[in-house]
Amino acid sequence: MTAFSEGATAEEIAQQYPSASLADIYQAIGYYLRHETELEEYFSHRRQCADRTKRENESRWPPDGIRKRLVARRQR
């Protein structure tokens, strides 16, 4: 629902996701509007989980110099 929240119309979303029908997109938008509070809580929780996972991964495998390490690995 990010695209909708950022002002995209159902038709614009359909152009971005051709596998979804316009009717399905309208239905999803309607569901979102009827359950906005619960969905925003869910989305917030998911973002927090994703951020935590990203921090954990980056602490285990620092992204600094990753391109250099990948190129070196490929050349072996």
Side-chain angles (χ1 to χ4, degrees):
M1 296 309 331
T2 302
F4 178 74
S5 297
E6 292 176 351
T9 65
E11 290 78 8
E12 290 168 334
I13 296 169
Q15 288 176 346
Q16 292 177 355
Y17 301 96
S19 61
S21 72
L22 188 56
D24 289 342
I25 292 167
Y26 273 111
Q27 189 170 20
I29 290 170
Y31 183 87
Y32 172 76
L33 292 173
R34 286 189 304 278
H35 300 91
E36 192 170 355
T37 302
E38 302 98 312
L39 289 172
E40 284 305 324
E41 289 174 10
Y42 172 77
F43 294 147
S44 175
H45 176 71
R46 297 302 304 152
R47 281 190 295 272
Q48 289 172 3
C49 290
D51 290 343
R52 184 177 59 243
T53 300
K54 181 180 178 183
R55 283 192 309 274
E56 290 170 358
N57 287 340
E58 287 179 350
S59 72
R60 292 170 69 189
W61 302 287
D64 300 332
I66 192 159
R67 184 179 192 292
K68 184 178 175 180
R69 291 192 310 265
L70 289 173
V71 169
R73 184 181 296 172
R74 176 185 256 181
Q75 292 174 348
R76 290 184 204 162

